[in-house]
Structures are given as C-alpha cells and as structure tokens.
Amino acid sequence: MKEEQFIPKPYINSIDDGSFTWSSPSNIALVKYWGKKQHQIPENPSVSFTLSDCKTITKLSFSKKESASDFSFEVFLDDEKKDDFKPKIVTFFKRIENYLPFLKDYHFKIQTSNSFPHSSGIASSASGMSALALCLMSIERALNPKMTNEYFIQKASFLARLGSGSACRSLEGDLVVWGKHKDIDGSSDLFGVKYPFRVHENFKNYQDTILLVDKGEKQVSSTVGHNLMHNHPFAEERFKQAHKNLSNLISVFKEGNIDAFVEIVESEALTLHAMMMTSLPYFVLMKPNTLEIINKIWTFRKQTGSKVCFTLDAGANVHMLYPEKETETVLKFVNNELVAYCQNGHYICDKIGFGAKQL
Ligand code: PMV
C-alpha cells in the first residue's frame, strides 16, 4: 500500500447532512513507538494491547455548507465547548485533506467524551483521534457505499495515524502491529494491522490496571518527545532493538511464555524512559512513586511467583499487566500496598479489548 491509494476517486453519492458515532479504545504499547520521520512514519515497528474500558465516544454531525471555503467545525468535550482543542484538529484536517476531499464542504460538530477522567494523565489522543477518523470514514462510506470493510478500516487507521501516531493501533483488537517488520506479512508504516499469528491462551483476556501516579498534564508533548530521537546518540541501536523485541514476541505469544513476555515488556518501558533521560534536552518523567511501585512489583513477583509486570507511557503512571487468573491476588496487592503511591489513591482497572464500535 502506498499513500496515494488512499486518495479517493470522485464520489458516487452526495449527502447533505447526518451524523455518525463511534466508540474507540485506548491502547498500551508492549514494544514502544518512540521516534518518527516526516508524515508520522515511525522509526520502528510497535505492538500494543487494545484496551477495553478506557475509551472515547465521538459523535460527528455534519451539514453541507453553501460554499467550500475553509475548515469549519466546533468541538465539545462532555457538552462543553473546547476551543483549545481546535488547533490540533485543524492540523489533523490539513494533514488528511488530500485523502478526504469533502472536508471543506461541510460544517462539523464534534461531540466527544472519555470514559476515563480528563485529568487522569491518561492520553486521550489515541482513542480520540481514532474515534474521529472512524466517524470521518463513515461519511466517506456514505459517499462511496461500494467501499470494502478492509479498505474502511485500513484507511481509518491510516488517517488516525496522521492525527496521533499510536492512534492507528486503536481501531481493532486485541493485539495490533504498526510499522513494517520483516517477520510480519502485511505490516505497514502507514497503518496498524491486527497481529496475524497465534496467541497462546495465557495472553487471552490479559488485565491492565493503571496506577495514576500523576494526573497532571504531560510534561513533554509526544511531538517534542519523538523529535528528541533525531540525532539521539543511541537512536539507531534502539530502533534495531525494537525490531528484535518484536521478533522475539512472536514466539513468546505462540508459546505462552509469560516470563519472557515480562522481560521484553519491562525492558521496553525502561528503554523508552532511558531514551528521554539521555536525549538533549533530557527529561525524567518518572516520579518517586513510579519507582516505589516498580520496586514493589518486583518484590511481589519474587515473593509470590506472580507474573504481573509493569509498563509505562511517556509519563509517571504505571500500567500493571497480568493474566486474568491473577486478578484477585493482584488487586489485593494493589489495594494493600500500591494505592498509597497513587494520586488520591486512584487507579483504573482495564483489560484487553476487541476494538472500536459504531454506536
Ligand atoms: O501517539 P503519540 O505520538 O502520542 O506517541 C505515543 C508514544 C508512546 O505512547 C510513548 C508509545 C506507544 O507506542 O504508544
């Protein structure tokens, strides 16, 4: 697939107004995307678990304008007008205009809400951009009803990527690969694809409990963070390592080897943070409580034989990943020993999910 294949032929239908609503989940990367080239092309492939309950619901209403002048839209979060969201959406519209030539023909009302609290430190860009991309693709499908489901989902992921890279992994479940990888046929830098190989029962219904260590705004925006990988002294080795970790995960998933999974996932999380600590300018995004939690998890694992592990995004919050059968013991551990390190004692229980849904 090349970018040009997503430029549509003239539409067969015309449509004056309507609305579409999609619910789209967040995702948590196991092999991390960190570093990009122009046009949101990742420097290395990544793979993520799609989540289930952390999601964005977006309703996109549209009505034809008299004349196609500039982009025209308003945006609401939980029914409250959010003009500060507009610049990000204008950037998104500019990037995808070529692929959705109807964008200037309509006035849009974007009404969005997140299932997780706005100020939880959980990034809503993946679920938000994928929900919006899916709504826009529903309009395109109304203009071109002959579109196949495969094209619909691929192009929606392609568009979501142009909104926020990791958003292209938030459309389908339960494991999604983004970025060309030699061992994964069909993998692409342009969009996410469902992980195509066998996944052992051990990883079915895997749980993700998110410990909210810091609910504040991100200290470093993703854009700034990805740019730190340009001229980074360890960049090339890091990109190679991501390819290798993804290769290794293929047999780990097939064989159900959770110990090897834990090692790859924790190493990826720490490498992501190591990249930020060794770039110029440098950042430490973990908080003292992040480290307290990591140490407690290691001790718990040693003492109990549990397979729980942690991963991190570009922030201080900790995702605890563990097999479904450990749910009770891990939640007891969280309540007894870890809530003290969470801001206001808050954490969110989620698990692997099956992707976006049209409502
Ligand atoms: O999608 P972005 O540009 O916000 O980048 C997200 C990067 C990480 O969350 C840190 C890793 C990943 O692969 O999701």
Side-chain angles (χ1 to χ4, degrees), residues 164-184:
S164 170
S166 60
C168 77
R169 297 188 313 238
S170 263
L171 291 83
E172 297 180 281
D174 43 357
L175 265 172
V176 177
V177 176
W178 167 41
K180 188 80 201 132
H181 187 278
K182 69 174 177 34
D183 300 334
I184 303 177

Side-chain angles (χ1 to χ4, degrees), residues 316-335:
N317 295 336
V318 181
H319 288 248
M320 291 172 78
L321 302 178
Y322 51 96
E324 186 183 22
K325 64 174 190 229
E326 288 195 29
T327 304
E328 208 184 308
T329 45
V330 170
L331 289 182
K332 214 179 260 172
F333 165 53
V334 169
N335 282 312

